[in-house]
Amino acid sequence: MKLADDILLNGALVLIVLAGALLLVRIWRGPSMLDRAVSVDIAAVLIIAGIGINAAITRTSYYLSIMLVIAFLGFTSSVAIARFIAARDRPGVRTRPGAVSLRKGRGTTPGQDTKERP
């Protein structure tokens, strides 16, 4: 049984290393910011998986709290990146060079409707 466990865990480790190499290619060549953001989120998952394999090989539960913290940091970074991309791509937030904003944070230019949006 020990031999089967070692073979499976080493196979999983090889697959995680291969996924990490492909992930670096995606981060380097990603055509958009969203591709890179997803790649960073997957990197956190691969780190968690690697730590999990290490915990399984050493048969210790010490790493479980570390895995939980990394999962939380990965989730919060994904949410922050998604909010940044959503705010960047939201229509009406950008202003043209030299434009005057009539309302705080709205990015309106002179001549645009200044009524409050619902």
Side-chain angles (χ1 to χ4, degrees):
M1 192 65 159
K2 177 90 168 130
L3 180 65
D5 289 344
D6 289 340
I7 291 172
L8 289 175
L9 289 174
N10 287 330
L13 189 60
V14 167
L15 289 176
I16 288 174
V17 169
L18 179 65
L22 293 173
L23 181 72
L24 289 176
V25 170
R26 174 50 56 192
I27 290 173
W28 182 261
R29 296 186 58 193
S32 70
M33 181 70 170
L34 189 57
D35 288 332
R36 290 183 175 101
V38 169
S39 297
V40 169
D41 187 38
I42 293 172
V45 170
L46 290 178
I47 290 170
I48 293 169
I51 293 172
I53 289 176
N54 186 19
I57 290 172
T58 59
R59 299 192 187 283
T60 180
S61 62
Y62 173 74
Y63 298 107
L64 296 178
S65 59
I66 296 171
M67 291 168 54
L68 185 64
V69 169
I70 293 174
F72 177 72
L73 290 174
F75 172 74
T76 54
S77 67
S78 296
V79 170
I81 290 171
R83 287 181 57 98
F84 172 73
I85 291 172
R88 186 186 67 177
D89 294 340
R90 188 177 305 138
V93 174
R94 298 183 215 172
T95 59
R96 293 181 301 196
V100 178
S101 177
L102 300 176
R103 288 182 283 166
K104 253 186 176 175
R106 286 291 197 186
T108 58
T109 57
Q112 285 184 340
D113 186 23
T114 58
K115 294 180 183 176
E116 287 294 321
R117 295 179 190 168

